[in-house]
Amino acid sequence: MLRVCWKGAHAAARQCVCGKVKAHSLQHCRKYTTAGDSGSTAGKIVAASLLTVGGGLGGTILYAKWDPKFRANVEKSVPYSDQLFEMALGPPPPPLVPLQKKPGKIEPLQISSLSEASKESKQPKAKAKKSDPAPMEAPPAVEEAPAPQTLEEASAEAAHIISALGEVPSVPAPGTSDESPPGHMAAGEECKDHHEPVLKERPVEEVTARLAQQDKAEQDALAALTAGLEESLGSTAKTTLQAIGAQEAALTAIAAHTNKLKDAMDSQTPPDEKSAQWKALNEALSERTRAMEEAEEALLKAKGELEKLREVINSAKQSKIDTARPQILAAEENLHSMIVDLDKVVTKVQTAQTEAKIVSQYSELVNEAKAQFQQELANITPEIQANWKGLSGKLSADDLNSLIAHAHRRIDQLNRELAEQRVREQLHIEVALEQQKLEDQKALERAVVSALAHSREDMRLEQEKKDVLFVMEAEMRTQLRRQAAAHTDHLRDVLKVQEQELREEAQEILNSRVMEQETHYRRLTQEQLDTFTLDMNAAYARLKGIEEAIDSHVIAEEEARKAHQLWLSVEALNYTLKSAGADSPTEPLEGAVGVIKESCAENEFAQALATAIPEESLSRGIYSEASLRARFYDIRRLARRVALIDETRNSLYQYFLSYLQSILLFESEQVPPPAKLAPEDLDTFKLLAYATYSIERGDLELAAKFVNQLRGESQRVAQDWIKEARLTLETKQVISLLSAYANAVGLGTTQAP
Amino acid sequence: MSEKELGQKWDRCLADSAIKLGTGLGLGIVFSVVFFKRRTWPIAFGTGLGLGMAYSNCQNDLRSHYVLHSKVAKVCVLIIDIIYYHVLSWSDVT
C-alpha cells in the first residue's frame, strides 16, 4: 500500500518532471506528444496525401490496363496487386505463346532407305543367284556336250562289242577306264574337275531327260524295228502258214490223190464205182494240181516273205540296237523255224510227190498196160470201147473168149515177164536199190545238207542266241556297269556335292564355333582383364585408400595430438580461470592463451577464438563469477540508492530523494524476469530484481543484460561491474567455445574402441 | 571500480563538507568573535556558507560526470538543441 502510494507519487513526480522539460532524451520519452491542434492543416495534409495516393493508384491501374507487361511487372513486384487488378480490370490477358514449330515429319526416308537397303541387299542376292545359276548352267552345258559324245562313243563301242560276236571282252564300264574315248572322258573329267569348285550335280532331271531321250530314241527305233519285224514276221508267218497249209493241203491232196489212185489201181472195186473213182481221181488230181499250184504260189510267197524278213532282220541287225537283239533273234528263230517247217513241208510234199510219182508211174504203167490191154482188146475186139469198165454187162461170149484168150495170153506174157522180172529181179532190185540208194543218198545228202544247214542254222541261232544272250548279258553288264558307273558318278557327284555342302556346313559350324570360342575366349580374357583391372584398380584404390587412411591417420593422429594439446591448453586455461580469488582476478590468461595459440597455430578457428579473448583478460585476468556475484550485491545496493539520479536529476537533493526511495521502496529482491521486456520493466528496481534473480540462478549474462539496461547514475555505478561481467562473460564464452571446439576436435579425432 | 567512485565521491563530499562546515563554522566563529561582536549570525552565516559550499561542491562533484566540459561537446549539444527546437517547432506548426 505504502509502496503503491509512493510509487504513484514517484510516478507523478516523474511525470511532472517529464512534462516540464521539453528536451527529452530519446531513450526515455517514448511517447511523442502529438500536438495536432490545427486540424485544418492536418486535414489539408491528409487530403493531399490521399489525393496523391489515389492518383497514383488510378494511374497505375489505367496504365496496367493499357500495357499488360507493366501490369505483369507490377503484379510481380507488388504483392496483392494482382487481386486489385483483377478486381479492377478483370483477369489478365492470356500470354501470347509463340507458335511452336511443328516437329519435322518423320519422313519415310527410313522406310525408303530400308527398302533401298533391302533392294540393294536383294540385288546382290539376285546377282548372286543369277551368277549361281549361270555357272551352274555352264558346267552342265559343258558337261552335256561331252556327255552325249561319250554316250555315242559308248554306244558305238557297245555296238562294236556286240557286232564282234566272237570276242567276249570284259567290257570296261564307260567313264572309268575307257580305251576308245579316253580323251573325251578325260576331257569330260577335266571339265568335271574344272568345274568341281562350282561342281553341281548334273541335275537329275537332265540326266534322266537325256537318258529318257536316249531310251525313247532307242525305244522308238526299237519299236519301229520291232514293229517292222513283227509286221514282217507276221506277214511272213502268215504266208508261211499259208504256204505250209497249202503245202499240207497239197500233201493231203497228193495223198488223197495217191490213195485214190491206189484205190483206183486196185481193181477190187466194182466197176460202177470205178468211174466214180476215176472221176474222184480226176478231181483229186485236179485238186492236187491246184493244191500244188497253190502250194507253189504260197511257197513262193512265203519264200519271198522270208527273204523280206531276212532282209528286215539284217537291216535290224545293222541298226545295231542292242535291245532288239532278242527280238531279232526271235525273229530269226521264227524265220528259221518257218523255213524249217516250210522245208519239212516241202520235203513232205516232195516225198508225197515222189510217192505220187511212183504211184502215178504205177498208175501210168497200169494205164499203159490197160491201154495196151485195151488196145489189144480193141485189136481183138474192136467193138469194145476204151472205157471197158463200163462194158462189163455188154460183152458177148466171143468177146469174152477173146478177152479170156487175150487175158491168157496176157497172163502168159505177164508170166514170162514176171519170170523175166524175177530173173531180173535181183538186178532190178539191185539197180533199184542202187537207184534208191543213190536217191536215198541224194535225199540223204539233201536231207543231211538241209539238216546240217538247219542244224547249223540252229546252232547259229543258238550261238547267236547265246551270243545274243552273252552279248545281252555283256550288254546288260555293260549297261549295268554303265549304270553303276553312272550311279557311281551320280553318287560321286552327290557325294561331292554333299561333301562340299557338309564341308561348308562344317566349315560354317567350325567357323561359328571358332568365332564363338574366340568371342568366348576374348570375352573371358576381357573379363579376366577386366577383373584383373578391377582387382588392380581395387587394390590400387585400396592401397591408395590405405595410404590415405594412413595419411589421414597420421593427420588424424596429428590432429588428435593437436586437439589433445588444444584441449590440454584449454583445460589449462580453464584451470587458470579457477585461480581467481574471492576478489582478486585470475592470473593473466596471457600465458595460457599463448599456449593455446601455439598449440593451434594452424587452426584458424582456434586462433580467431584465441584472439577474440579480450585484452584485459589476457593481461589482467578476469574475475570469477562468484566475485562478480558478490560484487553485484554492492552494485545493487548502490544502484538502488542512486536510482533517481541521471543527467537531469543529479542534485544532492535528488540524491537524498533517491536514497529515501531506496530505503522506503520495498520490492522483492528477486523477481523472475519476463520473457519479453516491456517498457515499464525498465525501472531500475525491477531491473535490479531481475538481475538479482538471474544472478542467483547463476545467469550472469542475463543479469549483466539487465544491469546494462540501467540508466543514469545507476548505470555509471554499475559500469565497471558490467565491464567486468562482460569481460568475464566474453572470456568464458571464448573459453567455452575453445573447450567445446577442443572437445569436438578431440571427439572427432578420437576413435571409439 | 565505478561503484567505488560514488563512495569515494561521498567520502570526498563528506570530508569536504566536514571541512567546509568546520571551516565555515570556525570562520564564522572567528568572524563573529572578531568582527561581529559574538553575534550568532556570522556563525550561522559561516556555517551556512560552509555547508552551502560543501553542498555545492558535493553536488558538483556528484554531478561532474553529467556536466560537459569540452567545447566539442558543447557544440554537439548546441546542434542537438537546434534540432530539437526545429522538430518541436514543426510539430507545433502542425
Side-chain angles (χ1 to χ4, degrees), chain A residues 24 38 631 635 638 647 650-653 712-713 716-717 720, chain B residues 1-3 5-6 9 55 59 62-63 65-66 84 91 93-94:
Chain A
H24 292 142
S38 44
R631 216 168 126 182
I635 301 294
L638 269 172
E647 304 95 34
N650 48 23
S651 65
L652 216 56
Y653 175 61
E713 192 62 31
R716 274 193 62 219
V717 155
D720 263 355
Chain B
M1 308 291 186
S2 58
E3 63 264 21
E5 196 184 314
L6 195 66
K9 273 187 186 170
Y55 184 85
Q59 196 172 283
L62 287 168
R63 225 187 239 187
H65 178 74
Y66 297 104
Y84 267 156
S91 64
V93 161
T94 55

PDB file of all heavy atoms in Angstrom, chain A residues 24 38 631 635 638 647 650-653 712-713 716-717 720, chain B residues 1-3 5-6 9 55 59 62-63 65-66 84 91 93-94:
ATOM      1  N   HIS A  24      13.828  16.113 -24.360  1.00  0.00           N
ATOM      2  CA  HIS A  24      13.910  14.775 -23.767  1.00  0.00           C
ATOM      3  C   HIS A  24      15.039  14.001 -24.398  1.00  0.00           C
ATOM      4  O   HIS A  24      15.387  14.194 -25.562  1.00  0.00           O
ATOM      5  CB  HIS A  24      12.606  14.025 -24.022  1.00  0.00           C
ATOM      6  CG  HIS A  24      11.464  14.616 -23.258  1.00  0.00           C
ATOM      7  ND1 HIS A  24      10.218  14.713 -23.781  1.00  0.00           N
ATOM      8  CD2 HIS A  24      11.394  15.157 -21.996  1.00  0.00           C
ATOM      9  CE1 HIS A  24       9.399  15.279 -22.876  1.00  0.00           C
ATOM     10  NE2 HIS A  24      10.117  15.555 -21.782  1.00  0.00           N
ATOM     11  N   SER A  38      -3.911  22.325 -34.868  1.00  0.00           N
ATOM     12  CA  SER A  38      -4.533  22.919 -36.060  1.00  0.00           C
ATOM     13  C   SER A  38      -5.005  21.798 -36.959  1.00  0.00           C
ATOM     14  O   SER A  38      -4.235  21.207 -37.714  1.00  0.00           O
ATOM     15  CB  SER A  38      -3.551  23.845 -36.755  1.00  0.00           C
ATOM     16  OG  SER A  38      -2.274  23.235 -36.813  1.00  0.00           O
ATOM     17  N   ARG A 631      30.052  -8.920  -5.854  1.00  0.00           N
ATOM     18  CA  ARG A 631      30.127  -7.510  -6.183  1.00  0.00           C
ATOM     19  C   ARG A 631      28.780  -6.971  -6.600  1.00  0.00           C
ATOM     20  O   ARG A 631      28.467  -5.798  -6.387  1.00  0.00           O
ATOM     21  CB  ARG A 631      31.122  -7.348  -7.328  1.00  0.00           C
ATOM     22  CG  ARG A 631      31.932  -6.084  -7.239  1.00  0.00           C
ATOM     23  CD  ARG A 631      33.075  -6.121  -8.216  1.00  0.00           C
ATOM     24  NE  ARG A 631      33.037  -4.937  -9.040  1.00  0.00           N
ATOM     25  CZ  ARG A 631      33.890  -4.678 -10.023  1.00  0.00           C
ATOM     26  NH1 ARG A 631      34.808  -5.570 -10.309  1.00  0.00           N
ATOM     27  NH2 ARG A 631      33.797  -3.553 -10.689  1.00  0.00           N
ATOM     28  N   ILE A 635      26.708  -3.469  -6.012  1.00  0.00           N
ATOM     29  CA  ILE A 635      26.204  -2.678  -7.128  1.00  0.00           C
ATOM     30  C   ILE A 635      24.702  -2.450  -6.948  1.00  0.00           C
ATOM     31  O   ILE A 635      24.208  -1.344  -7.157  1.00  0.00           O
ATOM     32  CB  ILE A 635      26.460  -3.401  -8.458  1.00  0.00           C
ATOM     33  CG1 ILE A 635      27.945  -3.681  -8.706  1.00  0.00           C
ATOM     34  CG2 ILE A 635      25.883  -2.627  -9.626  1.00  0.00           C
ATOM     35  CD1 ILE A 635      28.780  -2.463  -8.890  1.00  0.00           C
ATOM     36  N   LEU A 638      23.987   0.056  -4.324  1.00  0.00           N
ATOM     37  CA  LEU A 638      24.323   1.395  -4.797  1.00  0.00           C
ATOM     38  C   LEU A 638      23.344   1.863  -5.857  1.00  0.00           C
ATOM     39  O   LEU A 638      22.880   3.010  -5.842  1.00  0.00           O
ATOM     40  CB  LEU A 638      25.731   1.394  -5.383  1.00  0.00           C
ATOM     41  CG  LEU A 638      26.844   1.725  -4.402  1.00  0.00           C
ATOM     42  CD1 LEU A 638      28.194   1.508  -5.053  1.00  0.00           C
ATOM     43  CD2 LEU A 638      26.734   3.164  -3.923  1.00  0.00           C
ATOM     44  N   GLU A 647      21.077  12.426 -15.807  1.00  0.00           N
ATOM     45  CA  GLU A 647      21.670  13.686 -16.264  1.00  0.00           C
ATOM     46  C   GLU A 647      20.820  14.854 -15.801  1.00  0.00           C
ATOM     47  O   GLU A 647      21.314  15.950 -15.523  1.00  0.00           O
ATOM     48  CB  GLU A 647      21.772  13.743 -17.796  1.00  0.00           C
ATOM     49  CG  GLU A 647      22.522  12.612 -18.417  1.00  0.00           C
ATOM     50  CD  GLU A 647      21.598  11.508 -18.868  1.00  0.00           C
ATOM     51  OE1 GLU A 647      20.451  11.810 -19.299  1.00  0.00           O
ATOM     52  OE2 GLU A 647      21.989  10.342 -18.772  1.00  0.00           O
ATOM     53  N   ASN A 650      20.366  15.304 -10.908  1.00  0.00           N
ATOM     54  CA  ASN A 650      21.584  14.885 -10.213  1.00  0.00           C
ATOM     55  C   ASN A 650      22.007  15.876  -9.121  1.00  0.00           C
ATOM     56  O   ASN A 650      23.182  16.031  -8.809  1.00  0.00           O
ATOM     57  CB  ASN A 650      22.716  14.690 -11.209  1.00  0.00           C
ATOM     58  CG  ASN A 650      22.819  15.868 -12.171  1.00  0.00           C
ATOM     59  OD1 ASN A 650      22.349  16.974 -11.840  1.00  0.00           O
ATOM     60  ND2 ASN A 650      23.425  15.643 -13.303  1.00  0.00           N
ATOM     61  N   SER A 651      21.068  16.559  -8.554  1.00  0.00           N
ATOM     62  CA  SER A 651      21.412  17.417  -7.406  1.00  0.00           C
ATOM     63  C   SER A 651      21.443  16.574  -6.159  1.00  0.00           C
ATOM     64  O   SER A 651      20.998  15.419  -6.170  1.00  0.00           O
ATOM     65  CB  SER A 651      20.379  18.524  -7.275  1.00  0.00           C
ATOM     66  OG  SER A 651      19.118  17.959  -6.954  1.00  0.00           O
ATOM     67  N   LEU A 652      21.915  17.206  -5.190  1.00  0.00           N
ATOM     68  CA  LEU A 652      22.082  16.490  -3.928  1.00  0.00           C
ATOM     69  C   LEU A 652      20.743  16.123  -3.325  1.00  0.00           C
ATOM     70  O   LEU A 652      20.600  15.078  -2.665  1.00  0.00           O
ATOM     71  CB  LEU A 652      22.886  17.365  -2.950  1.00  0.00           C
ATOM     72  CG  LEU A 652      23.861  16.630  -2.032  1.00  0.00           C
ATOM     73  CD1 LEU A 652      24.835  15.800  -2.823  1.00  0.00           C
ATOM     74  CD2 LEU A 652      24.636  17.623  -1.191  1.00  0.00           C
ATOM     75  N   TYR A 653      19.856  16.952  -3.570  1.00  0.00           N
ATOM     76  CA  TYR A 653      18.504  16.696  -3.078  1.00  0.00           C
ATOM     77  C   TYR A 653      17.947  15.443  -3.705  1.00  0.00           C
ATOM     78  O   TYR A 653      17.323  14.624  -3.047  1.00  0.00           O
ATOM     79  CB  TYR A 653      17.622  17.901  -3.411  1.00  0.00           C
ATOM     80  CG  TYR A 653      16.178  17.709  -3.060  1.00  0.00           C
ATOM     81  CD1 TYR A 653      15.790  17.483  -1.713  1.00  0.00           C
ATOM     82  CD2 TYR A 653      15.190  17.754  -4.059  1.00  0.00           C
ATOM     83  CE1 TYR A 653      14.470  17.277  -1.398  1.00  0.00           C
ATOM     84  CE2 TYR A 653      13.875  17.569  -3.709  1.00  0.00           C
ATOM     85  CZ  TYR A 653      13.499  17.328  -2.413  1.00  0.00           C
ATOM     86  OH  TYR A 653      12.185  17.142  -2.069  1.00  0.00           O
ATOM     87  N   GLY A 712      21.365   6.240 -16.188  1.00  0.00           N
ATOM     88  CA  GLY A 712      21.736   7.312 -15.244  1.00  0.00           C
ATOM     89  C   GLY A 712      22.898   6.912 -14.342  1.00  0.00           C
ATOM     90  O   GLY A 712      23.846   6.239 -14.770  1.00  0.00           O
ATOM     91  N   GLU A 713      22.775   7.349 -13.143  1.00  0.00           N
ATOM     92  CA  GLU A 713      23.851   7.114 -12.173  1.00  0.00           C
ATOM     93  C   GLU A 713      24.006   5.634 -11.886  1.00  0.00           C
ATOM     94  O   GLU A 713      25.122   5.143 -11.692  1.00  0.00           O
ATOM     95  CB  GLU A 713      23.559   7.911 -10.891  1.00  0.00           C
ATOM     96  CG  GLU A 713      24.694   8.003  -9.909  1.00  0.00           C
ATOM     97  CD  GLU A 713      25.920   8.700 -10.455  1.00  0.00           C
ATOM     98  OE1 GLU A 713      25.759   9.602 -11.310  1.00  0.00           O
ATOM     99  OE2 GLU A 713      27.038   8.305 -10.090  1.00  0.00           O
ATOM    100  N   ARG A 716      26.186   4.329 -14.273  1.00  0.00           N
ATOM    101  CA  ARG A 716      27.566   4.712 -14.006  1.00  0.00           C
ATOM    102  C   ARG A 716      28.146   3.888 -12.897  1.00  0.00           C
ATOM    103  O   ARG A 716      29.308   3.482 -12.932  1.00  0.00           O
ATOM    104  CB  ARG A 716      27.620   6.190 -13.645  1.00  0.00           C
ATOM    105  CG  ARG A 716      27.707   7.051 -14.883  1.00  0.00           C
ATOM    106  CD  ARG A 716      28.072   8.471 -14.505  1.00  0.00           C
ATOM    107  NE  ARG A 716      29.370   8.530 -13.869  1.00  0.00           N
ATOM    108  CZ  ARG A 716      29.664   9.330 -12.815  1.00  0.00           C
ATOM    109  NH1 ARG A 716      28.735  10.125 -12.301  1.00  0.00           N
ATOM    110  NH2 ARG A 716      30.864   9.350 -12.302  1.00  0.00           N
ATOM    111  N   VAL A 717      27.322   3.677 -11.926  1.00  0.00           N
ATOM    112  CA  VAL A 717      27.801   2.881 -10.794  1.00  0.00           C
ATOM    113  C   VAL A 717      28.094   1.449 -11.243  1.00  0.00           C
ATOM    114  O   VAL A 717      29.097   0.847 -10.845  1.00  0.00           O
ATOM    115  CB  VAL A 717      26.719   2.916  -9.687  1.00  0.00           C
ATOM    116  CG1 VAL A 717      26.811   1.729  -8.797  1.00  0.00           C
ATOM    117  CG2 VAL A 717      26.865   4.201  -8.882  1.00  0.00           C
ATOM    118  N   ASP A 720      31.537  -0.415 -14.161  1.00  0.00           N
ATOM    119  CA  ASP A 720      32.683  -1.303 -14.023  1.00  0.00           C
ATOM    120  C   ASP A 720      32.285  -2.757 -13.915  1.00  0.00           C
ATOM    121  O   ASP A 720      32.904  -3.655 -14.492  1.00  0.00           O
ATOM    122  CB  ASP A 720      33.523  -0.893 -12.800  1.00  0.00           C
ATOM    123  CG  ASP A 720      34.697  -0.014 -13.235  1.00  0.00           C
ATOM    124  OD1 ASP A 720      34.860   0.160 -14.470  1.00  0.00           O
ATOM    125  OD2 ASP A 720      35.436   0.457 -12.371  1.00  0.00           O
TER     126      ASP A 720
ATOM    127  N   MET B   1      37.021   0.911  -9.763  1.00  0.00           N
ATOM    128  CA  MET B   1      35.645   0.424  -9.799  1.00  0.00           C
ATOM    129  C   MET B   1      34.651   1.556  -9.817  1.00  0.00           C
ATOM    130  O   MET B   1      34.775   2.494  -9.047  1.00  0.00           O
ATOM    131  CB  MET B   1      35.352  -0.413  -8.549  1.00  0.00           C
ATOM    132  CG  MET B   1      36.341  -1.482  -8.318  1.00  0.00           C
ATOM    133  SD  MET B   1      36.216  -2.781  -9.566  1.00  0.00           S
ATOM    134  CE  MET B   1      37.384  -3.899  -8.861  1.00  0.00           C
ATOM    135  N   SER B   2      33.776   1.444 -10.612  1.00  0.00           N
ATOM    136  CA  SER B   2      32.787   2.500 -10.750  1.00  0.00           C
ATOM    137  C   SER B   2      31.913   2.599  -9.510  1.00  0.00           C
ATOM    138  O   SER B   2      31.467   3.684  -9.143  1.00  0.00           O
ATOM    139  CB  SER B   2      31.938   2.239 -11.992  1.00  0.00           C
ATOM    140  OG  SER B   2      31.328   0.980 -11.864  1.00  0.00           O
ATOM    141  N   GLU B   3      31.674   1.486  -8.879  1.00  0.00           N
ATOM    142  CA  GLU B   3      30.811   1.549  -7.697  1.00  0.00           C
ATOM    143  C   GLU B   3      31.530   2.226  -6.530  1.00  0.00           C
ATOM    144  O   GLU B   3      30.904   2.839  -5.669  1.00  0.00           O
ATOM    145  CB  GLU B   3      30.329   0.149  -7.289  1.00  0.00           C
ATOM    146  CG  GLU B   3      31.411  -0.807  -6.880  1.00  0.00           C
ATOM    147  CD  GLU B   3      31.844  -1.693  -8.044  1.00  0.00           C
ATOM    148  OE1 GLU B   3      31.618  -1.313  -9.207  1.00  0.00           O
ATOM    149  OE2 GLU B   3      32.402  -2.781  -7.781  1.00  0.00           O
ATOM    150  N   GLU B   5      33.494   4.614  -6.936  1.00  0.00           N
ATOM    151  CA  GLU B   5      33.602   6.029  -7.279  1.00  0.00           C
ATOM    152  C   GLU B   5      32.596   6.839  -6.481  1.00  0.00           C
ATOM    153  O   GLU B   5      32.937   7.892  -5.906  1.00  0.00           O
ATOM    154  CB  GLU B   5      33.342   6.186  -8.772  1.00  0.00           C
ATOM    155  CG  GLU B   5      33.770   7.489  -9.370  1.00  0.00           C
ATOM    156  CD  GLU B   5      33.383   7.578 -10.824  1.00  0.00           C
ATOM    157  OE1 GLU B   5      33.615   6.584 -11.565  1.00  0.00           O
ATOM    158  OE2 GLU B   5      32.825   8.620 -11.225  1.00  0.00           O
ATOM    159  N   LEU B   6      31.425   6.371  -6.457  1.00  0.00           N
ATOM    160  CA  LEU B   6      30.360   7.068  -5.729  1.00  0.00           C
ATOM    161  C   LEU B   6      30.715   7.173  -4.246  1.00  0.00           C
ATOM    162  O   LEU B   6      30.594   8.246  -3.633  1.00  0.00           O
ATOM    163  CB  LEU B   6      29.038   6.325  -5.931  1.00  0.00           C
ATOM    164  CG  LEU B   6      27.804   7.125  -5.539  1.00  0.00           C
ATOM    165  CD1 LEU B   6      27.635   8.317  -6.450  1.00  0.00           C
ATOM    166  CD2 LEU B   6      26.578   6.248  -5.584  1.00  0.00           C
ATOM    167  N   LYS B   9      33.278   9.473  -3.950  1.00  0.00           N
ATOM    168  CA  LYS B   9      32.724  10.814  -4.057  1.00  0.00           C
ATOM    169  C   LYS B   9      32.073  11.243  -2.764  1.00  0.00           C
ATOM    170  O   LYS B   9      32.252  12.384  -2.291  1.00  0.00           O
ATOM    171  CB  LYS B   9      31.704  10.856  -5.209  1.00  0.00           C
ATOM    172  CG  LYS B   9      32.303  11.140  -6.534  1.00  0.00           C
ATOM    173  CD  LYS B   9      31.250  11.339  -7.574  1.00  0.00           C
ATOM    174  CE  LYS B   9      31.922  11.486  -8.918  1.00  0.00           C
ATOM    175  NZ  LYS B   9      30.946  11.435  -9.990  1.00  0.00           N
ATOM    176  N   TYR B  55      27.864  21.644   0.117  1.00  0.00           N
ATOM    177  CA  TYR B  55      26.736  21.102  -0.641  1.00  0.00           C
ATOM    178  C   TYR B  55      26.993  21.286  -2.130  1.00  0.00           C
ATOM    179  O   TYR B  55      26.849  20.360  -2.940  1.00  0.00           O
ATOM    180  CB  TYR B  55      25.463  21.847  -0.221  1.00  0.00           C
ATOM    181  CG  TYR B  55      24.220  21.317  -0.873  1.00  0.00           C
ATOM    182  CD1 TYR B  55      23.527  20.225  -0.330  1.00  0.00           C
ATOM    183  CD2 TYR B  55      23.712  21.944  -2.034  1.00  0.00           C
ATOM    184  CE1 TYR B  55      22.386  19.765  -0.914  1.00  0.00           C
ATOM    185  CE2 TYR B  55      22.559  21.453  -2.614  1.00  0.00           C
ATOM    186  CZ  TYR B  55      21.895  20.386  -2.082  1.00  0.00           C
ATOM    187  OH  TYR B  55      20.735  19.878  -2.675  1.00  0.00           O
ATOM    188  N   GLN B  59      27.611  18.482  -4.671  1.00  0.00           N
ATOM    189  CA  GLN B  59      26.721  18.330  -5.823  1.00  0.00           C
ATOM    190  C   GLN B  59      27.500  18.379  -7.133  1.00  0.00           C
ATOM    191  O   GLN B  59      27.277  17.585  -8.056  1.00  0.00           O
ATOM    192  CB  GLN B  59      25.667  19.460  -5.800  1.00  0.00           C
ATOM    193  CG  GLN B  59      24.492  19.149  -6.721  1.00  0.00           C
ATOM    194  CD  GLN B  59      23.412  20.156  -6.530  1.00  0.00           C
ATOM    195  OE1 GLN B  59      22.676  20.078  -5.542  1.00  0.00           O
ATOM    196  NE2 GLN B  59      23.330  21.121  -7.411  1.00  0.00           N
ATOM    197  N   LEU B  62      29.358  15.306  -7.469  1.00  0.00           N
ATOM    198  CA  LEU B  62      28.467  14.206  -7.862  1.00  0.00           C
ATOM    199  C   LEU B  62      27.945  14.395  -9.273  1.00  0.00           C
ATOM    200  O   LEU B  62      27.680  13.427  -9.999  1.00  0.00           O
ATOM    201  CB  LEU B  62      27.300  14.086  -6.880  1.00  0.00           C
ATOM    202  CG  LEU B  62      27.664  13.505  -5.509  1.00  0.00           C
ATOM    203  CD1 LEU B  62      26.534  13.704  -4.523  1.00  0.00           C
ATOM    204  CD2 LEU B  62      28.032  12.042  -5.620  1.00  0.00           C
ATOM    205  N   ARG B  63      27.765  15.613  -9.638  1.00  0.00           N
ATOM    206  CA  ARG B  63      27.237  15.933 -10.948  1.00  0.00           C
ATOM    207  C   ARG B  63      28.304  15.964 -12.035  1.00  0.00           C
ATOM    208  O   ARG B  63      27.978  16.051 -13.216  1.00  0.00           O
ATOM    209  CB  ARG B  63      26.595  17.329 -10.880  1.00  0.00           C
ATOM    210  CG  ARG B  63      25.284  17.429 -11.541  1.00  0.00           C
ATOM    211  CD  ARG B  63      24.887  18.872 -11.526  1.00  0.00           C
ATOM    212  NE  ARG B  63      23.612  19.005 -10.822  1.00  0.00           N
ATOM    213  CZ  ARG B  63      22.919  20.128 -10.746  1.00  0.00           C
ATOM    214  NH1 ARG B  63      23.434  21.228 -11.270  1.00  0.00           N
ATOM    215  NH2 ARG B  63      21.781  20.156 -10.106  1.00  0.00           N
ATOM    216  N   HIS B  65      30.083  14.240 -13.645  1.00  0.00           N
ATOM    217  CA  HIS B  65      30.043  13.355 -14.817  1.00  0.00           C
ATOM    218  C   HIS B  65      29.105  13.870 -15.889  1.00  0.00           C
ATOM    219  O   HIS B  65      29.414  13.805 -17.078  1.00  0.00           O
ATOM    220  CB  HIS B  65      29.623  11.950 -14.381  1.00  0.00           C
ATOM    221  CG  HIS B  65      29.511  10.990 -15.560  1.00  0.00           C
ATOM    222  ND1 HIS B  65      30.631  10.490 -16.181  1.00  0.00           N
ATOM    223  CD2 HIS B  65      28.427  10.486 -16.182  1.00  0.00           C
ATOM    224  CE1 HIS B  65      30.228   9.687 -17.169  1.00  0.00           C
ATOM    225  NE2 HIS B  65      28.875   9.672 -17.190  1.00  0.00           N
ATOM    226  N   TYR B  66      27.995  14.418 -15.410  1.00  0.00           N
ATOM    227  CA  TYR B  66      26.958  14.795 -16.356  1.00  0.00           C
ATOM    228  C   TYR B  66      27.196  16.160 -16.970  1.00  0.00           C
ATOM    229  O   TYR B  66      26.545  16.490 -17.946  1.00  0.00           O
ATOM    230  CB  TYR B  66      25.593  14.813 -15.666  1.00  0.00           C
ATOM    231  CG  TYR B  66      25.233  13.437 -15.189  1.00  0.00           C
ATOM    232  CD1 TYR B  66      25.344  13.126 -13.830  1.00  0.00           C
ATOM    233  CD2 TYR B  66      24.824  12.455 -16.088  1.00  0.00           C
ATOM    234  CE1 TYR B  66      25.024  11.849 -13.411  1.00  0.00           C
ATOM    235  CE2 TYR B  66      24.522  11.184 -15.650  1.00  0.00           C
ATOM    236  CZ  TYR B  66      24.626  10.879 -14.321  1.00  0.00           C
ATOM    237  OH  TYR B  66      24.312   9.630 -13.900  1.00  0.00           O
ATOM    238  N   TYR B  84      16.284  19.776 -31.897  1.00  0.00           N
ATOM    239  CA  TYR B  84      15.124  19.582 -31.043  1.00  0.00           C
ATOM    240  C   TYR B  84      14.135  20.717 -31.242  1.00  0.00           C
ATOM    241  O   TYR B  84      12.947  20.527 -31.387  1.00  0.00           O
ATOM    242  CB  TYR B  84      15.561  19.551 -29.575  1.00  0.00           C
ATOM    243  CG  TYR B  84      15.835  18.144 -29.082  1.00  0.00           C
ATOM    244  CD1 TYR B  84      16.693  17.938 -27.995  1.00  0.00           C
ATOM    245  CD2 TYR B  84      15.228  17.043 -29.676  1.00  0.00           C
ATOM    246  CE1 TYR B  84      16.941  16.681 -27.527  1.00  0.00           C
ATOM    247  CE2 TYR B  84      15.489  15.777 -29.200  1.00  0.00           C
ATOM    248  CZ  TYR B  84      16.351  15.605 -28.122  1.00  0.00           C
ATOM    249  OH  TYR B  84      16.573  14.345 -27.650  1.00  0.00           O
ATOM    250  N   SER B  91       6.380  20.401 -35.107  1.00  0.00           N
ATOM    251  CA  SER B  91       5.225  19.745 -34.503  1.00  0.00           C
ATOM    252  C   SER B  91       4.240  20.784 -34.006  1.00  0.00           C
ATOM    253  O   SER B  91       3.033  20.590 -34.104  1.00  0.00           O
ATOM    254  CB  SER B  91       5.691  18.833 -33.370  1.00  0.00           C
ATOM    255  OG  SER B  91       6.278  19.626 -32.352  1.00  0.00           O
ATOM    256  N   VAL B  93       3.820  23.665 -35.356  1.00  0.00           N
ATOM    257  CA  VAL B  93       3.154  24.212 -36.562  1.00  0.00           C
ATOM    258  C   VAL B  93       1.995  23.307 -36.948  1.00  0.00           C
ATOM    259  O   VAL B  93       0.904  23.766 -37.225  1.00  0.00           O
ATOM    260  CB  VAL B  93       4.182  24.349 -37.710  1.00  0.00           C
ATOM    261  CG1 VAL B  93       3.482  24.453 -39.059  1.00  0.00           C
ATOM    262  CG2 VAL B  93       5.046  25.576 -37.468  1.00  0.00           C
ATOM    263  N   THR B  94       2.296  22.069 -37.028  1.00  0.00           N
ATOM    264  CA  THR B  94       1.217  21.125 -37.430  1.00  0.00           C
ATOM    265  C   THR B  94       0.320  20.894 -36.244  1.00  0.00           C
ATOM    266  O   THR B  94      -0.817  21.219 -36.221  1.00  0.00           O
ATOM    267  CB  THR B  94       1.793  19.781 -37.869  1.00  0.00           C
ATOM    268  OG1 THR B  94       2.625  19.265 -36.832  1.00  0.00           O
ATOM    269  CG2 THR B  94       2.636  19.964 -39.110  1.00  0.00           C
TER     270      THR B  94
END
